[in-house]
Amino acid sequence: MKFRKKILPFLIYFLPLSVFAIEYHVSPTGNDANSGTSDKPLRTIQAAVNKLQAGDVCIVHAGTYRENISINQSGTSGNPLTIKAAKGENPIISGLDMLNLKWKATDKKGIFVVDYSGAEFEQLFCDGKPLLLARWPNVPRDKNGDWDFFSPNLWAAVDSTGNNYGIIKDKHLAATGWNVTGATAILNVGHQFFTWTRMVEKHAAGSDELFYPKNLGKSIKPADETGKGLKFNDDRYYLVGKKEFLDAPGEWFYDTAKKQLFFCSQDGKIPTKSIFEAKVRNFALTASEAYYLTVDGITFFGTAFKFGKDLKSRSRFITFTNNTVLYSSWTEFFSMPDDDPMAGSDKNFPQIYSDNVVLSNNVFSYGALSALFINGFYNLIENNEFHDFDLNSSLIYPPLLVSRNQLSYDGKGGNAVIRYNSIYNSGGILTQIGQRDNDFYMNDLHDAFRSCYGGNKDVSALYSQSVYCRGTRLHHNWVHEAYCGTPPYEWNGGIGIRGDDNTAGLTVDHNVVWNIGSVGIMMKNPAHPTPEQANRVLNNTIFQHSKFNTPKTAIIFSTEGKSKKGDVETDLNTTSNQFSVVDNNLAEQIDGGWFAAKLGTVADYSGNATGITVENQLVNPELFDFRLKTTATDLLNKGKRIEGYTEGANPSIGAYERGDSIYWIPGRRNVKASFPIVPNEASVSADIDVLMWRPAYKAIVHLLYFGTDPNKLEKSGKFSAEKNVFTLPKLVAGQKYFWRVDAVTSDGLVFKGDIWCFITK
């Protein structure tokens, strides 16, 4: 496995803290008049922050802190300002305030009301769980009783005819008998890769026509992808903001005119003992231009954080590690116009405008918008988990957004390293990578497009775009389980990895892409690229894709159409791919566009294996063993050697080299070894040759124990940090085998692994 080495200048400031550092303790039992010692703690984090000087530490003890924390000073190299959890404790910075509510029954069973004249809010929680603003249609519940934002019933579907830009036709809305003029509409319309929030301009009770403003932007056009003019007849939408919509347990509504808050209780009973909290702090922790700041071990609940102000006013040397971020956004407003009274609500998610960030070992869970937007130079995003975001599917709000490929961001970000992350469960795409010279590798991306019902098919799990991504490399990742909507469709979409319009200088190599609705990799080059804008697709393995498409194209280098430069019209088959490199890919079919368009002129097309059923060439793809079989003699050692990207003189075709001492397993690493291959409790053939595992985070050695008695496992191997392939002895059929992998860190700590087992057939 060959990775390009990259110098990371952000690592140079991890030096010992000053011996003169002071610790300030914070506790819910403290008092801001105290000195801040462990026996006389302060009450608020802000009070401690106000005292911090370079090298000082704010130690936060368990409890909930409901405050806006603003950091206006900086640390220095080797002496950062630090806010961290007390050892073994879980402090929570909350964006919520508790409400003292005395509910009364209404004439509707299960719905209760209380007079409320306090500050208005966008989000309401009950007993630590998010409630929903009353809406139509209702959000169903999943098997655990939680909101199922990935249900096909999330959206209202328009009628099959009569829809157009600005008009929704829906017989089911007519059947309600409501007049929804003035309601808020969440619109997934037109091309459907964006979602908008707009006020309903006109509707009449009993009418099947709803009108919304035609101000959604230049990307909305009247013709669909096939040119049949049916663009709007598969639209999706839902409505909020009317008391009539309040009819499902867990919903709420606020009548601003009457100053009354309504709630539909979970069990139909008056909620006398429940705790209600309203979101009042969108960003509970901010640092506009702070340098050398560390935040460690804090839980953020119902709120976000922001480091740096914008592209010009940014922070530097931020370390954000071991934190948990829950429900950072829960509003359902998307891409609102600037003059909307709720404008800004669609930007309430964690944001970092900073250079030299280390964002490591955090968990970001649940949010209507993005989990994180980060922009700057030389940022490290390592070993994090991002899941359940972008609930309503919009290209603007992926769980992880690393800069943007737009002119306004050019020269203001890049050189990020994004590795060992697990990113999953998104209503739309999973990750966007913007700007130049980024290195995105060893990430596990799965379960994308989960709210893409109807026409929203033009999406990709891993996305980059434009000439501004030059020098970025996407490699050694898994991208899988990504289907749009409910099959079958004429074009069931959902692309694995995509370099969209005018992508230039992007390298996509050694990825495994499987179980997706459309093509595995798509590259859309500039019409007239320069040599340095060449895109490269190398050594990828793609299978079980395009399930509802024919032909089964795995890789597309888009060359369709013609381009006019001056008075000369050029066929893109001869220009757009003239510097492209397509080598060593294991893919059923490689084409130049949809419907098997000719690939056209390519600078280098070598070592690709097409026209075969890819999964039949792999050892056991169902058990995540994507090595080539020993019988795949037409693929083993038959690829082209590519300097800087392949090992040895005769590389194999596809993403893995059989016989390598490293079997790369992407995704977030635990303190213990994880992700056993073969999986725990699996039944496998007695002729399996190896066991493999995901290395532990920051381990320098792994010790493997093996045997037939889980209580008497024998030490059978010692492996340096990344090496993770154990060659098995000869096995006996019908035997149960046990194994364990212990992880050793640089400071001598040993993390004993779980005991795994498999049975031979």
Side-chain angles (χ1 to χ4, degrees), residues 660-663 673 689-693 695-696 699-706 714-728 739-745:
D660 198 337
S661 62
I662 296 174
Y663 181 86
D689 58 334
V690 297
L691 298 175
M692 302 171 290
W693 62 92
I700 60 169
V701 170
H702 293 90
L703 305 173
L704 185 138
Y705 297 82
F706 182 77
E714 296 182 3
K715 185 177 179 180
S716 302
K718 181 178 180 180
F719 304 84
S720 58
E722 294 297 316
K723 293 185 177 180
N724 64 337
V725 180
F726 169 62
T727 302
L728 284 162
W739 58 301
R740 187 184 85 229
V741 179
D742 294 348
V744 184
T745 62

Side-chain angles (χ1 to χ4, degrees), residues 246 256 269 421 498:
L246 182 65
T256 55
K269 299 178 181 178
N421 300 288
R498 184 176 193 174

